[in-house]
Amino acid sequence: MRYARLAAILICLAPGTAPGAGQGGSWGFVDVTTAAGASSQFRFQFGYAETRDMMPAGVAAGDIDNDGDIDLIIPQGDYLPLRVLRNLGNGSFQSVAAQVGLNLSADVAAGALLADLDNNGHLDLVLTGLRGFGTRLYLNQSGQYTEATAAWGLSGSTIDAYSAAAGDIDHDGWLDLAVSHWDNRTGAAPTSGHLWRNSGSGFIDIDVSSGISVAYAGPDYSFSPHLIDFDDDGDVDLLMASDFGTTKAFRNLGNGQFQMLDPLLFDDENGMGADVGDYDNDGDLDWFVSSIYDPAGVPVAGQGITGNRLYRNDGNGVFVDVSAAAGVRQGYWGWGSCFADFNQDGWLDIFHVNGMPFGNHPVFNADPSRLFISQGDGTFVEQALALGINDTAQGRGIACFDYDRDGDIDIYIANNEGNGRLYRNDAPAGRHGLGVRLRTGGANTQAVGARLRLRLGGQTQTRVLIAGSHFQSSSPTEAHFGLGTASRADALEIEWPDGRTTCIAEPDAQPLLTVDDPDRVFATRD
């Protein structure tokens, strides 16, 4: 498969002129939460009952009504009902939970994932939560949501669930699920329900049959899953950022079995949030895992102090810890994380949020968010406050997406026991971006798992369409490329999940290029 991919790239991409990145003009982020009508609050009616209550707050971003604009679904704990914000396309949102059948309250929903799980062309909703909420499914039928938890085999999954991700692990065209279940209770039974196969009409727990159950026979500290092909063999693998030194990676062997990589490859002490992306533009998917950096250097109750990890993928799924050299370790108590090219220079940056309300360790009570800007040489410089992101609340979930369709990536932050915040990105003047959305008919309508390669001059940027998870959160299943000062790229190659390729010559910079599968006509089905 690797050689076929390389041949397709060589055929598709012709040489061009180098991009003009430059330094760009003045740029930064502006808090537009109130102006955009995007407020939210995650709260517990009676405050924290235990440690696990300090962890949740998520957000899912996706186009739930197929109008081209990105909407938001935001759990608000057990105190306020689920928040559903429809993007009106004019820079503002409208609250529509009741209108779309999601007027949910009095439950402790924590995380959210939007993905088309029944292949009808509409984004379904997976909610995760605590105190018996478990994992719940709501199917989208032409903009109306109906709960299908029991009908799809998830009603027995009532153990605490944090984050969810979707991907096609068996090439049958149905998106399967990965779910995390952090649990530190003394004497807790081994946890199941991490990997669910989608049969087309329901989900089947395959922890045991897939072989991953042996990794969860003891305490389960899983936090953030990703279903992506990290070894470039055509099969979707599983990455699971996890707490207390238990981060794991599972290689899909292509026969229904998964093989755990050597856990010593991953030395993050408290893996919590995560994202995958090709930060060094070498064509491999790298893995960022947020953890705990304590500026006071004082470990508390099993807490690490050495910070985030950036695992560089050197091909075939060989990960190397380059965190210190890259300059991304110092992030406080990290949670939701995302890769995105915020300044449109052709290199992925890293954003993550922080915090933990430990009264006896107040250094984490008001942690700032962190925005590591790529220098294009494998290193990063932290610039969150300098660029206008001054959120110091208890950040947990995030979504990185172009909410106003102006061509750059904005940020939504979900805060635990606090208010959510929407930051509009006013990217450097004179720089351009290209957003891409794929649609295909029949199976896997969002083309989750597709690889997109954009060539501009001598540089190739690689993106993979992902469904969840930044920690209890999901960004839209879209790709975004920074073009620098160029107004168009040389070429865009799309490798669909089944290996077919589509080549687009000289695509113009634009907020959203929608590409329909030429061999499988996209049609919304109910």
Side-chain angles (χ1 to χ4, degrees):
M1 193 114 183
R2 183 186 308 277
Y3 298 107
R5 285 175 173 167
L6 179 58
I9 296 171
L10 295 176
I11 293 171
C12 179
L13 303 179
T17 57
Q23 294 301 310
S26 175
W27 73 290
F29 290 81
V30 178
D31 185 342
V32 294
T33 312
T34 301
S39 63
S40 68
Q41 298 182 55
F42 186 95
R43 298 189 184 280
F44 288 98
Q45 184 174 2
F46 300 108
Y48 298 135
E50 53 183 326
T51 300
R52 71 190 65 242
D53 293 345
M54 302 176 183
M55 300 175 183
V59 53
D63 183 4
I64 66 173
D65 52 6
N66 287 339
D67 66 353
D69 296 310
I70 300 302
D71 313 297
L72 295 171
I73 295 182
I74 313 169
Q76 297 193 115
D78 68 348
Y79 185 59
L80 296 169
L82 187 74
R83 192 93 158 118
V84 181
L85 300 177
R86 173 173 289 150
N87 192 327
L88 300 179
N90 61 1
S92 66
F93 293 86
Q94 177 186 30
S95 179
V96 296
Q99 294 93 312
V100 301
L102 288 172
N103 193 22
L104 311 177
S105 60
D107 287 313
V108 191
L113 165 69
L114 284 167
D116 185 4
L117 299 171
D118 59 359
N119 282 339
N120 73 344
H122 299 283
L123 294 181
D124 307 305
L125 173 65
V126 174
L127 291 177
T128 58
L130 314 181
R131 302 180 186 175
F133 188 95
T135 304
R136 301 188 187 181
L137 172 64
Y138 299 83
L139 296 180
N140 183 346
Q141 303 292 331
S142 299
Q144 286 292 310
Y145 284 87
T146 303
E147 184 171 2
T149 305
W152 277 60
L154 291 172
S155 59
S157 181
T158 57
I159 58 176
D160 288 351
Y162 286 83
S163 307
D168 185 5
I169 64 175
D170 51 5
H171 300 286
D172 66 352
W174 299 96
L175 294 181
D176 310 296
L177 281 180
V179 181
S180 65
H181 304 285
W182 189 94
D183 192 344
N184 73 337
R185 288 172 291 192
T186 302
T191 311
S192 61
H194 297 89
L195 198 57
W196 298 83
R197 184 175 67 82
N198 184 346
S199 69
S201 59
F203 287 101
I204 302 167
D205 182 345
I206 61 169
D207 273 24
V208 173
S209 63
S210 67
I212 74 167
S213 60
V214 296
Y216 296 102
D220 182 357
Y221 298 119
S222 56
F223 264 143
S224 296
H226 277 89
L227 287 171
I228 56 101
D229 179 8
F230 63 67
D231 56 2
D232 199 23
D233 67 351
D235 295 313
V236 172
D237 311 299
L238 171 63
L239 297 173
M240 186 72 83
S242 305
D243 206 357
F244 299 119
T246 62
T247 286
K248 298 174 174 65
F250 301 89
R251 189 193 306 271
N252 187 342
L253 301 180
N255 59 359
Q257 296 288 305
F258 284 74
Q259 179 185 60
M260 186 170 67
L261 301 188
D262 182 352
L264 295 180
L265 288 171
F266 312 109
D267 64 347
D268 52 276
E269 296 155 316
N270 303 95
M272 295 178 183
D275 202 8
V276 294
D278 183 14
Y279 85 96
D280 51 2
N281 286 340
D282 68 349
D284 299 313
L285 295 178
D286 311 296
W287 190 18
F288 177 80
V289 177
S290 64
S291 188
I292 301 173
Y293 175 80
D294 188 344
V298 181
V300 174
Q303 159 216 320
I305 60 174
T306 63
N308 305 320
R309 295 296 190 270
L310 178 58
Y311 297 116
R312 187 185 67 214
N313 188 342
D314 282 352
N316 197 34
V318 176
F319 291 98
V320 179
D321 180 0
V322 296
S323 319
V328 298
R329 283 205 172 188
Q330 298 183 18
Y332 302 99
W333 196 300
W335 295 100
S337 313
C338 77
F339 277 113
D341 183 0
F342 293 107
N343 59 357
Q344 313 271 49
D345 67 351
W347 298 91
L348 290 176
D349 311 302
I350 300 170
F351 176 76
H352 74 88
V353 291
N354 299 284
M356 194 64 176
F358 278 160
N360 62 346
H361 204 33
V363 66
F364 300 115
N365 287 349
D367 287 347
S369 301
R370 303 294 268 175
L371 177 55
F372 296 102
I373 299 298
S374 173
Q375 303 302 292
D377 59 1
T379 67
F380 297 80
V381 175
E382 203 289 312
Q383 298 185 35
L385 187 59
L387 292 171
I389 299 178
N390 60 354
D391 184 66
T392 57
Q394 291 293 318
R396 296 298 185 268
I398 60 174
C400 299
F401 65 109
D402 186 3
Y403 99 91
D404 50 2
R405 291 298 188 203
D406 66 349
D408 55 29
I409 299 297
D410 313 296
I411 298 171
Y412 196 92
I413 299 173
N415 286 311
N416 177 279
E417 282 293 313
N419 299 322
R421 302 182 77 173
L422 174 64
Y423 282 97
R424 186 189 70 218
N425 182 2
D426 294 331
R431 289 190 186 173
H432 307 290
L434 171 62
V436 183
R437 175 180 63 173
L438 304 184
R439 301 190 303 180
T440 185
N444 189 3
T445 62
Q446 297 173 277
V448 174
R451 294 196 178 216
L452 297 88
R453 301 177 180 89
L454 181 129
R455 172 71 174 270
L456 182 54
Q459 177 176 293
T460 299
Q461 301 177 46
T462 301
R463 304 286 185 266
V464 176
L465 297 191
I466 297 170
S469 161
H470 300 316
F471 180 72
Q472 299 186 342
S473 302
S474 58
S475 293
T477 304
E478 299 179 356
H480 172 265
F481 301 92
L483 306 185
T485 57
S487 59
R488 65 168 55 95
D490 298 329
L492 173 66
E493 180 208 85
I494 299 165
E495 182 184 336
W496 300 89
D498 63 5
R500 292 173 298 114
T501 60
T502 296
C503 297
I504 299 175
E506 298 186 335
D508 291 326
Q510 54 192 291
L512 184 64
L513 171 65
T514 299
V515 181
D516 289 334
D517 188 334
D519 299 324
R520 297 178 180 173
V521 176
F522 174 85
T524 299
R525 303 195 317 276
D526 297 319

